[in-house]
Amino acid sequence: MKALLILLVAGWLSACATSSSLDDQADEILSPDEQFEQGESARAKGDFPEALANYLPLTERDDDWAIRAKLAIARLSLDSGRSEPALKAYELILEEAPTLVEAQEGRGLALLARGEWDNARRQLQIAHRNDPLRWRTLNGLGVADDMIGSYQSAARWYGMALDAGGDRSMVINNAGYSLIMAGQYREAETLLQRAVARYPREQRMSHNLAIAQARQGRYERAVVTWQRSQNRAEALSNAGYVALLNGDRLRARALFEEANSASTSHRPKIAANLASVAGEPRR
């Protein structure tokens, strides 16, 4: 298992050099649960080097805390976008504990992050059979089905994920985007409108709501929604892109022209958009 630690720590050492946790802990003896909770607290705050510094000492133990810490470090890699080391880490953990559902789920999510939709789906189905109520597994199965165009199946997985894990914003957002991909724009708008009211700070959800509105040709409403997190020129440009997707070139041109009038910093990009609508070559 030393190979696992070498794999997981690679790439973190320079970041951890700025953390004082290991030096501090030399003078302070913490219980395993205190050590782990400090790691979890740091992870929740986005301080991954601090979290790693707290998990690492636990991996040297000869009890259940060691596997918990290894799983936490693997998840840390996945959460930070390092899907390749996360995948290898989960595979090494599964060599040690092949029936560990959290590792089965983690491997599936790492495969999903790598774009291996079919492999991810097979792995997540294994985790689902062993524990049918893990919302991350269910959400991952929904994403995998979305990526291969199985929208009805994806909707079922998202519904099960919401039942298992409560109304988590990640799942609701994925369910809404799935409806958009399926061309069910009105249903997506209804779902996302309620969700945005509940989670007003979730910018991805608001962005998807605007897409659903624009896909229905309601560009003014979509611009208002986009302006919750963007300036007016960016919002108008986004609406113009969707108008092009809708095949509405005249409206797209009008939106790009309005964006050009509203912008001082985005004019070269907007000018290129206008040229594409007019069929002129980009300069």
Side-chain angles (χ1 to χ4, degrees):
M1 193 51 68
K2 289 290 184 183
L4 172 63
L5 296 183
I6 294 171
L7 171 70
L8 292 173
V9 175
W12 293 95
L13 293 179
S14 60
C16 286
T18 63
S19 174
S20 62
S21 289
L22 292 178
D23 292 336
D24 292 344
Q25 288 160 13
D27 299 322
E28 179 183 3
I29 299 176
L30 300 175
S31 67
D33 60 332
E34 289 173 332
Q35 189 95 57
F36 191 82
E37 282 305 311
Q38 283 195 6
E40 292 290 273
S41 176
R43 182 188 64 81
K45 295 174 183 177
D47 189 346
F48 292 167
E50 176 75 10
L52 180 64
N54 279 280
Y55 295 139
L56 277 174
L58 297 174
T59 63
E60 300 297 329
R61 296 178 62 89
D62 295 323
D63 54 20
D64 289 344
W65 284 108
I67 196 69
R68 289 186 66 183
K70 292 166 188 174
L71 283 167
I73 297 172
R75 181 185 59 187
L76 208 59
S77 289
L78 188 58
D79 288 350
S80 63
R82 301 170 71 238
S83 59
E84 178 65 24
L87 175 61
K88 292 179 180 177
Y90 282 121
E91 288 173 345
L92 286 170
I93 293 170
L94 285 169
E95 289 179 8
E96 181 180 352
T99 62
L100 193 60
V101 178
E102 187 173 347
Q104 293 171 344
E105 175 188 80
R107 182 175 186 271
L109 295 177
L111 288 167
L112 195 66
R114 287 165 51 84
E116 298 184 33
W117 316 127
D118 291 334
N119 289 337
R121 192 172 186 275
R122 284 191 289 270
Q123 179 63 58
L124 289 168
Q125 284 175 330
I126 293 172
H128 176 57
R129 284 195 295 271
N130 290 326
D131 186 348
L133 298 178
R134 295 184 70 86
W135 73 267
R136 291 183 185 276
T137 297
L138 295 163
N139 178 70
L141 284 164
V143 173
D145 275 351
D146 269 338
M147 293 300 101
I148 61 175
S150 298
Y151 302 125
Q152 289 185 341
S153 178
R156 288 193 294 271
W157 290 121
Y158 292 134
M160 293 168 65
L162 291 171
D163 288 341
D167 290 341
R168 294 181 181 270
S169 60
M170 177 195 297
V171 182
I172 298 172
N173 186 59
N174 288 344
Y177 193 70
S178 179
L179 289 168
I180 291 172
M181 290 193 293
Q184 297 176 263
Y185 306 126
R186 182 175 298 178
E187 293 84 352
E189 180 182 10
T190 299
L191 174 65
L192 292 169
Q193 188 75 66
R194 291 198 303 265
V196 166
R198 182 171 180 180
Y199 300 102
R201 296 183 180 179
E202 290 287 341
Q203 293 187 7
R204 289 180 303 171
M205 196 178 290
S206 182
H207 176 71
N208 288 337
L209 171 60
I211 292 174
Q213 292 166 336
R215 282 299 248 168
Q216 297 174 76
R218 297 171 56 227
Y219 304 114
E220 292 84 358
R221 179 68 258 176
V223 167
V224 171
T225 301
W226 265 310
Q227 283 187 262
R228 295 173 184 173
S229 59
Q230 299 176 337
N231 62 47
R232 182 165 177 79
E234 292 171 325
L236 287 162
S237 290
N238 285 341
Y241 285 128
V242 178
L244 282 178
L245 288 176
N246 290 346
D248 191 349
R249 293 177 65 84
L250 288 176
R251 195 60 185 278
R253 181 175 181 82
L255 288 162
F256 287 141
E257 286 175 344
E258 190 175 352
N260 190 53
S261 298
S263 173
T264 56
S265 59
H266 299 280
R267 282 181 178 168
K269 183 177 180 180
I270 295 171
N273 294 333
L274 280 166
S276 68
V277 174
E280 302 165 3
R282 296 186 181 187
R283 294 181 174 84

